[in-house]
Amino acid sequence: MPKELFPSSFECDCGYQLHFFENTIKEMKLMSKQKKTLLSDGADPKHTIVFEHGLMVDIQCPKQRKKKNLQNKK
């Protein structure tokens, strides 16, 4: 399960860490109270944080997507 590190950093299940400005995270959490909101760090590999109802609910990981795709092909 991905986790939120204090207060504007996050860690994916694969161990990759994402770091943002506190104001950016506050804005994303506020926006996500209205609708699902995504935030990417723009790095390669591209990880995307998913916010819903004012909280971080998931991190979309390119490594995990590759694993899922390989499992679906079997």
Side-chain angles (χ1 to χ4, degrees), residues 36-52:
K36 184 176 176 179
T37 306
L38 306 175
L39 176 64
S40 296
D41 67 349
D44 189 31
K46 186 177 177 181
H47 285 74
T48 303
I49 303 172
V50 181
F51 294 94
E52 261 187 308

Side-chain angles (χ1 to χ4, degrees), residues 20 24-25 27-29 31-32 35-41 46-52 55 57-60:
F20 298 94
T24 301
I25 299 303
E27 288 176 24
M28 293 296 108
K29 287 182 175 182
M31 286 172 41
S32 74
K35 64 179 181 175
K36 184 176 176 179
T37 306
L38 306 175
L39 176 64
S40 296
D41 67 349
K46 186 177 177 181
H47 285 74
T48 303
I49 303 172
V50 181
F51 294 94
E52 261 187 308
L55 301 170
V57 294
D58 193 19
I59 295 178
Q60 297 173 347

Side-chain angles (χ1 to χ4, degrees), residues 6-7 18 22 25 32 42 66:
F6 183 83
L18 300 95
E22 287 182 48
I25 299 303
S32 74
K66 286 179 186 176

Side-chain angles (χ1 to χ4, degrees), residues 64-74:
Q64 292 173 345
R65 272 185 252 140
K66 286 179 186 176
K67 287 180 187 176
K68 287 179 185 176
N69 288 340
L70 289 175
Q71 290 173 350
N72 289 338
K73 289 182 181 180
K74 290 182 181 179

Side-chain angles (χ1 to χ4, degrees), residues 8-39:
S8 58
S9 298
F10 302 86
E11 185 175 74
C12 180
D13 290 338
C14 73
Y16 184 82
Q17 292 188 357
L18 300 95
H19 305 282
F20 298 94
F21 291 107
E22 287 182 48
N23 287 341
T24 301
I25 299 303
K26 286 179 186 176
E27 288 176 24
M28 293 296 108
K29 287 182 175 182
L30 186 61
M31 286 172 41
S32 74
K33 289 183 178 187
Q34 303 295 321
K35 64 179 181 175
K36 184 176 176 179
T37 306
L38 306 175
L39 176 64

